[in-house]
Protein backbone atom coordinates (compact mmCIF):
# COMPACT_ATOMS: atom_id res chain seq x y z
CA UNK A 1 0.00 0.00 0.00
CA UNK A 2 1.44 3.38 -1.00
CA UNK A 3 0.02 6.44 0.73
CA UNK A 4 1.09 10.10 0.80
CA UNK A 5 2.53 11.26 4.12
CA UNK A 6 -0.34 12.56 6.20
CA UNK A 7 1.22 14.63 8.93
CA UNK A 8 2.19 14.34 11.66
CA UNK A 9 3.92 11.07 10.78
CA UNK A 10 7.15 9.30 11.64
CA UNK A 11 8.63 7.63 8.55
CA UNK A 12 11.23 4.89 8.99
CA UNK A 13 13.54 4.35 6.00
CA UNK A 14 14.16 0.62 5.66
CA UNK A 15 17.19 1.00 3.42
CA UNK A 16 18.95 3.09 6.06
CA UNK A 17 17.84 0.75 8.82
CA UNK A 18 19.35 -2.18 6.95
CA UNK A 19 22.65 -0.30 6.59
CA UNK A 20 22.73 0.26 10.35
CA UNK A 21 21.91 -3.38 11.00
CA UNK A 22 24.78 -4.44 8.74
CA UNK A 23 27.10 -2.64 11.17
CA UNK A 24 25.61 -4.62 14.05
CA UNK A 25 26.04 -7.86 12.13
CA UNK A 26 29.68 -7.06 11.39
CA UNK A 27 30.34 -6.39 15.07
CA UNK A 28 28.62 -9.61 16.10
CA UNK A 29 30.58 -11.64 13.59
CA UNK A 30 33.99 -10.03 13.96
CA UNK A 31 33.97 -9.45 17.72
CA UNK A 32 32.09 -12.65 18.51
CA UNK A 33 29.51 -10.94 20.70
CA UNK A 34 25.75 -10.76 20.99
CA UNK A 35 23.75 -7.62 20.18
CA UNK A 36 20.23 -7.02 21.49
CA UNK A 37 17.80 -4.25 20.56
CA UNK A 38 16.85 -2.07 23.54
CA UNK A 39 13.15 -1.70 22.77
CA UNK A 40 12.81 1.30 25.08
CA UNK A 41 14.49 3.34 22.32
CA UNK A 42 12.79 1.87 19.29
CA UNK A 43 9.94 -0.63 19.11
CA UNK A 44 8.27 -1.09 15.74
CA UNK A 45 7.06 -4.69 15.50
CA UNK A 46 6.32 -4.30 11.78
CA UNK A 47 10.07 -4.28 11.06
CA UNK A 48 11.09 -6.86 13.65
CA UNK A 49 11.06 -9.72 11.10
CA UNK A 50 13.82 -7.89 9.21
CA UNK A 51 15.75 -6.91 12.35
CA UNK A 52 15.63 -10.47 13.65
CA UNK A 53 18.07 -11.59 10.95
CA UNK A 54 20.71 -9.17 12.25
CA UNK A 55 20.33 -9.29 16.03
CA UNK A 56 20.20 -11.80 18.89
CA UNK A 57 17.00 -10.59 20.51
CA UNK A 58 15.61 -7.74 22.59
CA UNK A 59 16.10 -6.24 26.00
CA UNK A 60 13.18 -4.75 27.86
CA UNK A 61 12.87 -2.26 30.68
CA UNK A 62 9.56 -3.47 31.97
CA UNK A 63 7.03 -6.25 31.84
CA UNK A 64 4.98 -5.02 28.91
CA UNK A 65 8.05 -4.35 26.77
CA UNK A 66 9.29 -7.84 27.57
CA UNK A 67 5.95 -9.30 26.50
CA UNK A 68 6.10 -7.38 23.24
CA UNK A 69 9.68 -8.52 22.62
CA UNK A 70 8.75 -12.15 23.26
CA UNK A 71 5.62 -12.01 21.08
CA UNK A 72 6.85 -9.86 18.22
CA UNK A 73 10.63 -10.28 18.00
CA UNK A 74 11.32 -13.69 19.52
CA UNK A 75 14.89 -14.96 19.91
CA UNK A 76 16.41 -14.00 23.28
CA UNK A 77 14.39 -11.86 25.69
CA UNK A 78 16.36 -9.99 28.36
CA UNK A 79 14.75 -7.74 30.94
CA UNK A 80 16.08 -5.31 33.52
CA UNK A 81 14.19 -3.09 35.93
CA UNK A 82 15.63 -0.90 38.69
CA UNK A 83 13.01 -2.43 40.99
CA UNK A 84 10.72 -5.41 40.43
CA UNK A 85 7.36 -5.30 42.18
CA UNK A 86 5.92 -8.40 43.90
CA UNK A 87 4.77 -10.93 41.31
CA UNK A 88 6.66 -9.42 38.39
CA UNK A 89 9.65 -11.73 38.40
CA UNK A 90 7.38 -14.79 38.46
CA UNK A 91 5.49 -13.53 35.41
CA UNK A 92 8.66 -12.38 33.64
CA UNK A 93 10.21 -15.80 34.14
CA UNK A 94 7.56 -17.19 31.77
CA UNK A 95 8.64 -14.92 28.90
CA UNK A 96 12.25 -13.82 29.47
CA UNK A 97 15.22 -16.16 29.66
CA UNK A 98 17.52 -13.46 31.06
CA UNK A 99 16.46 -11.44 34.10
CA UNK A 100 18.68 -8.67 35.46
CA UNK A 101 18.54 -7.31 39.01
CA UNK A 102 19.57 -3.86 40.16
CA UNK A 103 20.96 -4.69 43.58
CA UNK A 104 22.04 -7.43 45.93
CA UNK A 105 18.78 -6.88 47.80
CA UNK A 106 16.57 -7.38 44.71
CA UNK A 107 18.64 -10.40 43.77
CA UNK A 108 18.18 -11.86 47.25
CA UNK A 109 14.43 -11.20 47.19
CA UNK A 110 13.61 -12.48 43.71
CA UNK A 111 16.67 -14.26 42.28
CA UNK A 112 15.59 -17.73 43.37
CA UNK A 113 12.24 -17.35 41.54
CA UNK A 114 13.99 -16.54 38.28
CA UNK A 115 16.60 -19.26 38.79
CA UNK A 116 13.96 -21.91 39.53
CA UNK A 117 12.26 -21.01 36.26
CA UNK A 118 15.54 -21.61 34.42
CA UNK A 119 16.36 -17.98 33.65
CA UNK A 120 19.91 -16.68 33.45
CA UNK A 121 20.49 -14.09 36.17
CA UNK A 122 22.12 -10.71 35.60
CA UNK A 123 23.28 -8.22 38.20
CA UNK A 124 23.63 -4.57 37.24
CA UNK A 125 26.72 -3.01 38.76
CA UNK A 126 27.40 0.72 39.00
CA UNK A 127 30.99 0.76 37.75
CA UNK A 128 31.67 4.43 38.46
CA UNK A 129 32.47 5.22 34.84
CA UNK A 130 30.87 8.33 33.31
CA UNK A 131 30.85 8.98 29.60
CA UNK A 132 27.32 10.17 28.75
CA UNK A 133 27.66 12.73 25.97
CA UNK A 134 24.14 14.02 26.41
CA UNK A 135 22.35 16.01 29.08
CA UNK A 136 24.98 15.89 31.86
CA UNK A 137 23.83 14.15 35.06
CA UNK A 138 20.34 13.69 33.58
CA UNK A 139 21.67 10.89 31.35
CA UNK A 140 24.59 9.63 33.43
CA UNK A 141 23.71 6.42 35.30
CA UNK A 142 26.89 6.87 37.35
CA UNK A 143 25.97 10.39 38.53
CA UNK A 144 26.05 11.00 42.31
CA UNK A 145 23.31 9.10 44.19
CA UNK A 146 22.31 7.24 41.03
CA UNK A 147 19.70 4.53 41.65
CA UNK A 148 21.18 2.33 38.92
CA UNK A 149 23.24 -0.71 39.77
CA UNK A 150 24.83 -2.18 42.87
CA UNK A 151 27.60 -0.02 44.26
CA UNK A 152 31.16 -1.25 44.31
CA UNK A 153 31.31 -1.29 48.12
CA UNK A 154 28.55 -3.88 48.32
CA UNK A 155 29.77 -6.28 45.64
CA UNK A 156 31.39 -8.56 48.22
CA UNK A 157 27.99 -9.09 49.83
CA UNK A 158 26.51 -10.44 46.57
CA UNK A 159 25.77 -14.14 46.27
CA UNK A 160 27.77 -14.54 43.04
CA UNK A 161 26.82 -18.21 42.79
CA UNK A 162 23.43 -16.98 41.63
CA UNK A 163 24.79 -14.57 39.01
CA UNK A 164 25.43 -15.48 35.37
CA UNK A 165 25.76 -12.04 33.77
CA UNK A 166 27.77 -9.04 34.99
CA UNK A 167 25.85 -6.01 33.68
CA UNK A 168 26.89 -2.38 33.32
CA UNK A 169 25.10 0.42 31.49
CA UNK A 170 26.77 3.82 31.70
CA UNK A 171 27.00 5.26 28.18
CA UNK A 172 24.69 7.64 26.35
CA UNK A 173 25.18 8.46 22.67
CA UNK A 174 28.86 7.65 23.24
CA UNK A 175 31.44 7.25 20.49
CA UNK A 176 33.94 4.37 20.48
CA UNK A 177 36.18 6.08 23.05
CA UNK A 178 33.34 5.65 25.53
CA UNK A 179 32.66 2.03 24.60
CA UNK A 180 36.33 1.07 24.68
CA UNK A 181 36.90 3.05 27.87
CA UNK A 182 34.05 1.22 29.60
CA UNK A 183 35.25 -2.21 28.48
CA UNK A 184 38.77 -1.48 29.71
CA UNK A 185 37.48 0.03 32.95
CA UNK A 186 35.49 -3.13 33.70
CA UNK A 187 38.49 -5.33 32.83
CA UNK A 188 40.80 -3.33 35.11
CA UNK A 189 38.48 -2.97 38.09
CA UNK A 190 36.20 -5.99 38.29
CA UNK A 191 38.31 -9.04 37.38
CA UNK A 192 37.58 -10.91 40.67
CA UNK A 193 33.85 -10.77 39.95
CA UNK A 194 34.22 -11.53 36.23
CA UNK A 195 35.81 -14.85 37.12
CA UNK A 196 32.51 -15.85 38.77
CA UNK A 197 30.14 -15.20 35.84
CA UNK A 198 29.73 -16.55 32.31
CA UNK A 199 28.83 -13.34 30.47
CA UNK A 200 29.24 -9.57 30.57
CA UNK A 201 26.63 -7.16 29.25
CA UNK A 202 28.12 -3.75 28.43
CA UNK A 203 24.70 -2.11 28.19
CA UNK A 204 23.55 0.45 25.65
CA UNK A 205 24.62 3.95 24.68
CA UNK A 206 27.14 2.66 22.10
CA UNK A 207 26.29 5.03 19.23
CA UNK A 208 27.43 2.45 16.68
CA UNK A 209 26.12 4.09 13.53
CA UNK A 210 26.85 7.69 14.37
CA UNK A 211 29.31 9.19 11.88
CA UNK A 212 32.68 9.19 13.66
CA UNK A 213 32.05 6.02 15.68
CA UNK A 214 35.15 3.81 15.24
CA UNK A 215 33.54 0.37 14.87
CA UNK A 216 36.90 -1.36 14.46
CA UNK A 217 38.08 0.05 17.80
CA UNK A 218 35.01 -1.45 19.49
CA UNK A 219 35.58 -4.81 17.80
CA UNK A 220 39.24 -4.82 18.89
CA UNK A 221 38.30 -3.97 22.50
CA UNK A 222 35.72 -6.75 22.70
CA UNK A 223 38.15 -9.26 21.20
CA UNK A 224 40.85 -8.26 23.69
CA UNK A 225 38.37 -8.53 26.55
CA UNK A 226 37.19 -11.96 25.42
CA UNK A 227 40.76 -13.16 24.98
CA UNK A 228 41.55 -12.15 28.56
CA UNK A 229 38.41 -13.38 30.30
CA UNK A 230 36.86 -15.99 27.98
CA UNK A 231 33.35 -14.68 28.65
CA UNK A 232 30.33 -14.16 26.43
CA UNK A 233 29.94 -10.46 25.62
CA UNK A 234 26.57 -8.78 25.10
CA UNK A 235 25.75 -5.24 23.93
CA UNK A 236 22.23 -3.80 24.11
CA UNK A 237 22.09 -0.54 22.14
CA UNK A 238 18.88 1.19 21.17
CA UNK A 239 19.65 4.54 19.59
CA UNK A 240 22.87 3.29 18.00
CA UNK A 241 20.90 0.79 15.88
CA UNK A 242 18.44 3.31 14.46
CA UNK A 243 20.29 6.64 14.43
CA UNK A 244 19.55 8.59 11.23
CA UNK A 245 16.98 6.12 9.91
CA UNK A 246 13.88 8.27 9.71
CA UNK A 247 12.08 11.57 9.97
CA UNK A 248 9.11 13.16 11.66
CA UNK A 249 7.04 14.88 8.99
CA UNK A 250 4.93 17.84 10.11
CA UNK A 251 2.83 20.57 8.49
CA UNK A 252 2.59 24.26 9.14
CA UNK A 253 -0.95 24.84 10.39
CA UNK A 254 -0.79 28.61 10.81
CA UNK A 255 1.54 31.56 11.19
CA UNK A 256 1.63 34.03 14.05
CA UNK A 257 3.64 37.16 14.83
CA UNK A 258 4.78 38.44 18.22
CA UNK A 259 8.12 40.25 18.08
CA UNK A 260 9.06 37.72 15.39
CA UNK A 261 7.56 35.16 13.02
CA UNK A 262 6.15 32.01 14.57
CA UNK A 263 5.01 28.90 12.70
CA UNK A 264 2.50 26.67 14.47
CA UNK A 265 2.88 23.01 13.51
CA UNK A 266 0.71 19.92 13.75
CA UNK A 267 3.68 18.25 15.48
CA UNK A 268 4.87 19.41 18.85
CA UNK A 269 7.86 19.09 21.12
CA UNK A 270 5.65 18.32 24.06
CA UNK A 271 3.60 15.57 22.42
CA UNK A 272 5.79 14.14 19.64
CA UNK A 273 9.44 14.94 20.44
CA UNK A 274 9.52 15.17 24.25
CA UNK A 275 13.32 14.84 24.33
CA UNK A 276 13.56 18.24 22.64
CA UNK A 277 12.41 19.62 25.99
CA UNK A 278 13.84 16.94 28.30
CA UNK A 279 17.43 16.62 27.05
CA UNK A 280 17.09 19.37 25.68
CA UNK A 281 18.22 19.43 22.04
CA UNK A 282 17.43 21.08 18.73
CA UNK A 283 16.34 18.69 15.96
CA UNK A 284 17.58 19.35 12.43
CA UNK A 285 15.15 20.11 9.61
CA UNK A 286 15.79 19.14 5.99
CA UNK A 287 16.56 22.31 4.00
CA UNK A 288 16.50 24.66 7.02
CA UNK A 289 19.38 26.36 8.80
CA UNK A 290 20.26 28.25 11.97
CA UNK A 291 18.17 31.40 12.54
CA UNK A 292 19.27 34.32 10.37
CA UNK A 293 21.31 32.24 7.93
CA UNK A 294 18.61 31.88 5.27
CA UNK A 295 16.22 34.70 4.34
CA UNK A 296 13.21 33.80 6.53
CA UNK A 297 13.50 32.98 10.22
CA UNK A 298 10.71 31.42 12.28
CA UNK A 299 10.18 30.07 15.74
CA UNK A 300 8.59 26.62 15.31
CA UNK A 301 6.10 25.70 17.99
CA UNK A 302 3.45 23.14 18.77
CA UNK A 303 -0.25 23.73 19.30
CA UNK A 304 -0.40 22.67 22.93
CA UNK A 305 -1.20 25.08 25.75
CA UNK A 306 2.28 24.70 27.22
CA UNK A 307 4.13 27.97 26.66
CA UNK A 308 7.43 26.13 26.44
CA UNK A 309 6.25 23.84 23.64
CA UNK A 310 8.83 25.33 21.28
CA UNK A 311 10.92 23.22 18.93
CA UNK A 312 13.44 25.94 18.09
CA UNK A 313 14.30 28.83 15.79
CA UNK A 314 15.15 28.04 12.15
CA UNK A 315 15.64 29.88 8.89
CA UNK A 316 14.26 28.87 5.50
CA UNK A 317 15.02 30.02 1.96
CA UNK A 318 11.32 30.62 1.21
CA UNK A 319 8.66 32.09 3.50
CA UNK A 320 6.56 29.41 5.21
CA UNK A 321 2.84 29.21 4.56
CA UNK A 322 0.03 27.09 5.96
CA UNK A 323 0.12 23.60 4.49
CA UNK A 324 3.89 23.49 3.93
CA UNK A 325 5.48 20.23 5.06
CA UNK A 326 8.76 20.05 6.92
CA UNK A 327 10.77 17.03 8.02
CA UNK A 328 12.72 16.74 11.28
CA UNK A 329 15.64 14.39 10.80
CA UNK A 330 16.88 11.52 12.99
CA UNK A 331 13.57 10.94 14.73
CA UNK A 332 13.51 7.17 15.27
CA UNK A 333 14.95 6.75 18.77
CA UNK A 334 13.16 7.87 21.93
CA UNK A 335 10.43 9.60 19.90
CA UNK A 336 7.33 7.62 18.97
CA UNK A 337 7.88 5.31 21.95
CA UNK A 338 7.35 8.37 24.18
CA UNK A 339 4.57 10.30 22.43
CA UNK A 340 1.38 11.37 24.18
CA UNK A 341 -1.99 12.93 23.37
CA UNK A 342 -1.80 15.98 25.65
CA UNK A 343 -4.48 18.57 24.79
CA UNK A 344 -6.21 16.00 22.59
CA UNK A 345 -3.49 16.26 19.97
CA UNK A 346 -3.45 13.17 17.78
CA UNK A 347 -0.44 10.88 18.02
CA UNK A 348 1.84 11.05 14.99
CA UNK A 349 1.20 8.06 12.76
CA UNK A 350 3.94 5.58 11.86
CA UNK A 351 5.00 4.71 8.33
CA UNK A 352 7.72 2.72 6.60
CA UNK A 353 9.54 3.71 3.44
CA UNK A 354 10.28 0.34 1.86
CA UNK A 355 13.48 -0.37 0.01
CA UNK A 356 11.68 0.09 -3.34
CA UNK A 357 10.68 3.61 -2.25
CA UNK A 358 7.00 2.86 -1.54
CA UNK A 359 5.44 4.18 1.62
CA UNK A 360 3.30 2.09 3.93
CA UNK A 361 1.42 3.55 6.85
CA UNK A 362 1.36 1.05 9.72
CA UNK A 363 -0.86 2.86 12.19
CA UNK A 364 -4.17 4.61 12.20
CA UNK A 365 -4.08 6.62 15.41
CA UNK A 366 -7.17 8.70 15.93
CA UNK A 367 -9.69 9.48 18.62
CA UNK A 368 -9.59 5.89 19.92
CA UNK A 369 -5.88 6.20 20.83
CA UNK A 370 -6.65 9.34 22.83
CA UNK A 371 -9.85 8.05 24.43
CA UNK A 372 -8.57 4.59 25.41
CA UNK A 373 -6.02 6.15 27.75
CA UNK A 374 -8.67 7.97 29.74
CA UNK A 375 -10.40 4.92 31.18
CA UNK A 376 -13.94 3.65 30.69
C1 LIG B 1 19.98 -0.66 30.87
C2 LIG B 1 19.91 -0.02 29.52
N1 LIG B 1 20.29 -0.72 28.43
C3 LIG B 1 20.25 -0.19 27.19
C4 LIG B 1 19.82 1.11 26.98
C5 LIG B 1 19.78 1.64 25.58
O1 LIG B 1 20.54 2.79 25.45
P1 LIG B 1 20.72 3.52 24.06
O2 LIG B 1 19.40 3.65 23.40
O3 LIG B 1 21.31 4.84 24.43
O4 LIG B 1 21.67 2.70 23.26
C6 LIG B 1 19.44 1.89 28.09
C7 LIG B 1 19.00 3.28 27.92
O5 LIG B 1 18.62 3.98 28.80
C8 LIG B 1 19.48 1.31 29.39
O6 LIG B 1 19.10 2.01 30.48
Amino acid sequence: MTVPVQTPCFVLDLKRLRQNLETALRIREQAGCKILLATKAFAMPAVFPMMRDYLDGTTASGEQEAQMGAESFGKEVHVYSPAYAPGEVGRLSQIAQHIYFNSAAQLERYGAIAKAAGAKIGLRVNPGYSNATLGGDLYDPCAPMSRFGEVVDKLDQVDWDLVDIFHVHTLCESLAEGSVGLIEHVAENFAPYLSQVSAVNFGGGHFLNKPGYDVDALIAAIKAFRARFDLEVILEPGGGLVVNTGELHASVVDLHWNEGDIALLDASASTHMPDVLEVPYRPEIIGADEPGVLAHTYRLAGRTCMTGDIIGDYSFAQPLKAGDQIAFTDQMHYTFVKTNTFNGNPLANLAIRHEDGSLERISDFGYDAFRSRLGR
Side-chain angles (χ1 to χ4, degrees), residues 274-286:
D275 277 3
V276 165
L277 303 178
E278 263 181 46
V279 173
Y281 80 101
R282 180 182 186 275
E284 297 294 317
I285 296 175
I286 295 173

Side-chain angles (χ1 to χ4, degrees), residues 38 40-41 59 61 80 124 141 148 167-169 171-173 203-207 236-241 333-334:
K40 71 177 75 185
T59 186
S61 316
Y80 156 79
R124 181 165 176 176
F148 299 120
H167 182 218
V168 289
H169 167 77
L171 307 178
C172 182
E173 301 204 352
H206 311 270
F207 224 17
E236 49 179 27
L241 294 175
H333 49 108
Y334 299 101

Side-chain angles (χ1 to χ4, degrees), residues 4 26 42 55 70 105 113-114 135 143 155 162 208 235 246 248 262 285 304 322 336:
R26 178 160 88 84
F42 173 89
L55 302 171
I113 299 173
L155 291 186
L162 270 181
L208 307 175
L235 306 179
L248 170 62
I262 301 164
I285 296 175
T304 70
F336 65 88

Side-chain angles (χ1 to χ4, degrees), residues 177-230:
E177 293 77 22
S179 306
V180 172
L182 173 63
I183 293 168
E184 290 177 353
H185 177 83
V186 169
E188 288 318 309
N189 294 283
F190 298 96
Y193 305 107
L194 298 178
S195 63
Q196 302 181 65
V197 297
S198 56
V200 178
N201 184 330
F202 287 110
H206 311 270
F207 224 17
L208 307 175
N209 286 287
K210 186 75 175 172
Y213 190 101
D214 185 347
V215 171
D216 291 318
L218 171 69
I219 292 171
I222 295 174
K223 283 170 81 170
F225 183 90
R226 289 184 56 230
R228 179 167 166 196
F229 294 102
D230 192 24

